[in-house]
Amino acid sequence: MQLYNTLSAEERARLIDEAGKQRLTLSFYAYAKISDPKKFRDELFIAWNALDALGRIYVAHEGINAQMSIPAENLEAFRETLEVYDFMKGIRLNEAVEHDDHSFLKLTIKVRNKIVADGLNDETFDVTNKGIHLKANEFNTLLEDPNTIVVDFRNHYESEVGHFKGAITPDVETFRESLPIINDKLQDFKEDKNLLMYCTGGIRCEKASAYFKHQGFKNVFQLEGGIIEYARQVKEENIESKFIGKNFVFDHRLGERITDDIVSQCHQCGKPCDNHTNCFNDACHLLFIQCDECKAAMENCCSPRCLETIHLPLEEQAKLRKGLQVGNKIFRKGKSDDLKFKKSGELLDKPLAKAVTKNIRQKISVKKMLIGKAEHYYPKSKVAQFLLEDGEVSVGDKILISGPTTGEQEMVLNELFANGNACETAKAGDQITFPLPFRVRLSDKLFKILN
């Protein structure tokens, strides 16, 4: 009986591409009393693995929190696996604004102490005694009420790239930090103010709404389904979006654009930008905002120190990392003195610029040709592997690598290997590799720049 993954992310991505079927990216959560989380976890893995469902799921005695990717054709069968449990009957599935077949490449279900760490040890706190849920139009109406206080219960790196107008945005890295900060700040408004809250998908502000009711706040409301569901309703019902900018998401995309407003800056040069990246230095992996120009100049690094490090011999890099907590064990969220332009906790309602992604794509499309897709990246040798699907590419050609996290990177091919052998020209069907100073993702596409 299979209870764990047996395929690598690369193998799974290849199977997804070969299947050629549409996949849906969705999320859901439910607070409930689960007596045996380990048994519950194993039951879910067996049922979902059979449906080719992938994702990152946490289960605990207090409930379930899931972000997933499933084949569109298996949606109803997936719903049936949820209906088996009373507390998930009729549960709302939040669908992503932008679906990506590679949003998740493994099915990971972990048992945790809590599905949302809150730092609370109060046995009298009832997480199911939640605030009033509001749909998008109701949320907008209450936002306009001068008697309303709106709070963003996400972390600084999330709210920095997008938020509701007028929201309190705590400069925190964890949900547990925000509870006492907001509680202290709003002590004088328990009786006479509407406390309106939101988060990405609803799970954090659902717990927060119960917490603030427990603290004595009388009028507590929350955005039903979070920003994800709000964006869907705004689009389908033609409602004005009071949310401006991007919604940070916890998969390789790192963000979904809700409006074309850019409300944040490149942390290195100050240019209006809302694209997150992870520092390329394996001993750092700092999450920060970086524009395309700085990405190219700094080779995906957050500082001159990290840029210098990635050019050291691999053995020397390994020595520098020795004894440090590095790699996927850490995920630092932008707290670094090396970053010069930061606005966490001091966000502006006025956008700094407008995104022009669509116009850029239309402009570029007339002079580039899609020829392949990323398959793997070898960080030790700094070599990228692509499958060449169309046309041909030669040493000396100008290429462009494009993806949600990678951005758009242009370069000239100075060295090329096809199916493991050095060559001057590769053709459709070849598996090609070439040196690349930055990491590529499985969602990245390879273009040939046309003269």
Side-chain angles (χ1 to χ4, degrees), residues 106-125:
K106 289 186 178 182
L107 177 59
T108 303
I109 310 179
K110 296 183 178 181
V111 176
R112 293 284 180 87
N113 291 328
K114 294 184 178 182
I115 56 174
V116 176
D118 53 28
L120 303 176
N121 295 302
D122 185 350
E123 294 183 0
T124 66
F125 170 50

Tab-separated table of all heavy atoms in Angstrom, residues 106-125:
chain	number	residue	atom	x	y	z
A	106	LYS	N	4.390	17.068	-6.083
A	106	LYS	CA	4.397	15.937	-5.156
A	106	LYS	C	3.146	15.998	-4.291
A	106	LYS	O	2.579	17.076	-4.090
A	106	LYS	CB	5.638	15.951	-4.260
A	106	LYS	CG	6.933	15.617	-4.982
A	106	LYS	CD	8.084	15.500	-3.992
A	106	LYS	CE	9.372	15.119	-4.704
A	106	LYS	NZ	10.505	14.962	-3.741
A	107	LEU	N	2.728	14.861	-3.802
A	107	LEU	CA	1.639	14.814	-2.831
A	107	LEU	C	2.268	14.654	-1.452
A	107	LEU	O	2.793	13.589	-1.107
A	107	LEU	CB	0.692	13.648	-3.128
A	107	LEU	CG	-0.460	13.451	-2.149
A	107	LEU	CD1	-1.332	14.696	-2.071
A	107	LEU	CD2	-1.307	12.237	-2.536
A	108	THR	N	2.251	15.731	-0.700
A	108	THR	CA	2.861	15.739	0.625
A	108	THR	C	1.801	16.034	1.671
A	108	THR	O	1.203	17.117	1.675
A	108	THR	CB	3.965	16.807	0.708
A	108	THR	OG1	4.929	16.564	-0.320
A	108	THR	CG2	4.659	16.763	2.056
A	109	ILE	N	1.536	15.076	2.545
A	109	ILE	CA	0.558	15.246	3.627
A	109	ILE	C	1.285	15.025	4.950
A	109	ILE	O	1.773	13.930	5.216
A	109	ILE	CB	-0.622	14.257	3.501
A	109	ILE	CG1	-1.211	14.282	2.086
A	109	ILE	CG2	-1.698	14.585	4.537
A	109	ILE	CD1	-2.361	13.302	1.879
A	110	LYS	N	1.360	16.077	5.754
A	110	LYS	CA	2.108	16.003	7.006
A	110	LYS	C	1.192	16.197	8.207
A	110	LYS	O	0.262	16.998	8.171
A	110	LYS	CB	3.211	17.073	7.032
A	110	LYS	CG	4.280	16.869	5.970
A	110	LYS	CD	5.379	17.908	6.099
A	110	LYS	CE	6.477	17.662	5.066
A	110	LYS	NZ	7.582	18.653	5.192
A	111	VAL	N	1.488	15.474	9.264
A	111	VAL	CA	0.766	15.623	10.523
A	111	VAL	C	1.480	16.674	11.364
A	111	VAL	O	2.692	16.595	11.583
A	111	VAL	CB	0.697	14.289	11.287
A	111	VAL	CG1	0.021	14.487	12.644
A	111	VAL	CG2	-0.057	13.241	10.470
A	112	ARG	N	0.742	17.683	11.789
A	112	ARG	CA	1.294	18.770	12.596
A	112	ARG	C	0.533	18.886	13.916
A	112	ARG	O	-0.565	18.353	14.064
A	112	ARG	CB	1.182	20.088	11.835
A	112	ARG	CG	2.062	20.158	10.579
A	112	ARG	CD	3.506	20.392	10.978
A	112	ARG	NE	4.398	20.479	9.823
A	112	ARG	CZ	4.661	21.593	9.151
A	112	ARG	NH1	4.037	22.717	9.478
A	112	ARG	NH2	5.528	21.599	8.158
A	113	ASN	N	1.110	19.648	14.836
A	113	ASN	CA	0.412	19.907	16.094
A	113	ASN	C	-0.822	20.774	15.852
A	113	ASN	O	-1.866	20.575	16.468
A	113	ASN	CB	1.338	20.590	17.096
A	113	ASN	CG	2.438	19.669	17.587
A	113	ASN	OD1	2.230	18.461	17.696
A	113	ASN	ND2	3.596	20.219	17.887
A	114	LYS	N	-0.672	21.743	14.946
A	114	LYS	CA	-1.784	22.615	14.571
A	114	LYS	C	-1.675	22.912	13.084
A	114	LYS	O	-0.573	22.932	12.528
A	114	LYS	CB	-1.756	23.930	15.368
A	114	LYS	CG	-2.001	23.755	16.864
A	114	LYS	CD	-2.060	25.108	17.565
A	114	LYS	CE	-2.349	24.932	19.049
A	114	LYS	NZ	-2.462	26.243	19.751
A	115	ILE	N	-2.811	23.148	12.431
A	115	ILE	CA	-2.746	23.482	11.012
A	115	ILE	C	-2.345	24.940	10.812
A	115	ILE	O	-1.851	25.308	9.752
A	115	ILE	CB	-4.081	23.177	10.292
A	115	ILE	CG1	-5.257	23.903	10.953
A	115	ILE	CG2	-4.314	21.686	10.225
A	115	ILE	CD1	-6.567	23.744	10.198
A	116	VAL	N	-2.554	25.759	11.826
A	116	VAL	CA	-2.052	27.138	11.828
A	116	VAL	C	-1.434	27.386	13.198
A	116	VAL	O	-2.145	27.426	14.208
A	116	VAL	CB	-3.176	28.171	11.568
A	116	VAL	CG1	-2.617	29.582	11.680
A	116	VAL	CG2	-3.780	27.970	10.187
A	117	ALA	N	-0.104	27.523	13.239
A	117	ALA	CA	0.570	27.740	14.516
A	117	ALA	C	0.174	29.098	15.084
A	117	ALA	O	0.296	30.125	14.407
A	117	ALA	CB	2.086	27.667	14.323
A	118	ASP	N	-0.337	29.112	16.314
A	118	ASP	CA	-0.833	30.360	16.898
A	118	ASP	C	-0.156	30.741	18.203
A	118	ASP	O	-0.362	31.843	18.716
A	118	ASP	CB	-2.350	30.275	17.113
A	118	ASP	CG	-2.760	29.040	17.915
A	118	ASP	OD1	-1.954	28.554	18.724
A	118	ASP	OD2	-3.891	28.549	17.700
A	119	GLY	N	0.643	29.837	18.777
A	119	GLY	CA	1.329	30.138	20.028
A	119	GLY	C	0.415	30.202	21.229
A	119	GLY	O	0.821	30.666	22.301
A	120	LEU	N	-0.838	29.747	21.088
A	120	LEU	CA	-1.816	29.824	22.174
A	120	LEU	C	-1.883	28.510	22.942
A	120	LEU	O	-1.844	27.431	22.355
A	120	LEU	CB	-3.197	30.162	21.609
A	120	LEU	CG	-3.300	31.464	20.797
A	120	LEU	CD1	-4.702	31.615	20.231
A	120	LEU	CD2	-2.941	32.665	21.659
A	121	ASN	N	-2.019	28.620	24.248
A	121	ASN	CA	-2.182	27.443	25.101
A	121	ASN	C	-3.385	27.616	26.023
A	121	ASN	O	-3.370	27.223	27.180
A	121	ASN	CB	-0.912	27.204	25.932
A	121	ASN	CG	0.285	26.855	25.064
A	121	ASN	OD1	0.243	25.887	24.311
A	121	ASN	ND2	1.339	27.652	25.158
A	122	ASP	N	-4.420	28.230	25.485
A	122	ASP	CA	-5.633	28.523	26.243
A	122	ASP	C	-6.694	27.473	25.907
A	122	ASP	O	-7.258	27.468	24.813
A	122	ASP	CB	-6.138	29.922	25.881
A	122	ASP	CG	-7.338	30.343	26.720
A	122	ASP	OD1	-7.885	29.495	27.447
A	122	ASP	OD2	-7.735	31.521	26.629
A	123	GLU	N	-6.961	26.564	26.810
A	123	GLU	CA	-7.909	25.482	26.555
A	123	GLU	C	-9.344	25.982	26.438
A	123	GLU	O	-10.220	25.275	25.931
A	123	GLU	CB	-7.803	24.422	27.654
A	123	GLU	CG	-6.456	23.694	27.659
A	123	GLU	CD	-6.406	22.598	28.713
A	123	GLU	OE1	-7.427	22.422	29.414
A	123	GLU	OE2	-5.364	21.932	28.827
A	124	THR	N	-9.618	27.208	26.901
A	124	THR	CA	-10.983	27.747	26.805
A	124	THR	C	-11.240	28.387	25.438
A	124	THR	O	-12.372	28.749	25.133
A	124	THR	CB	-11.224	28.800	27.896
A	124	THR	OG1	-10.375	29.940	27.666
A	124	THR	CG2	-10.919	28.225	29.278
A	125	PHE	N	-10.207	28.526	24.634
A	125	PHE	CA	-10.345	29.136	23.315
A	125	PHE	C	-10.991	28.148	22.349
A	125	PHE	O	-10.457	27.065	22.106
A	125	PHE	CB	-8.969	29.578	22.804
A	125	PHE	CG	-8.945	30.013	21.370
A	125	PHE	CD1	-9.859	30.941	20.885
A	125	PHE	CD2	-7.996	29.501	20.495
A	125	PHE	CE1	-9.826	31.344	19.558
A	125	PHE	CE2	-7.960	29.901	19.168
A	125	PHE	CZ	-8.877	30.821	18.706
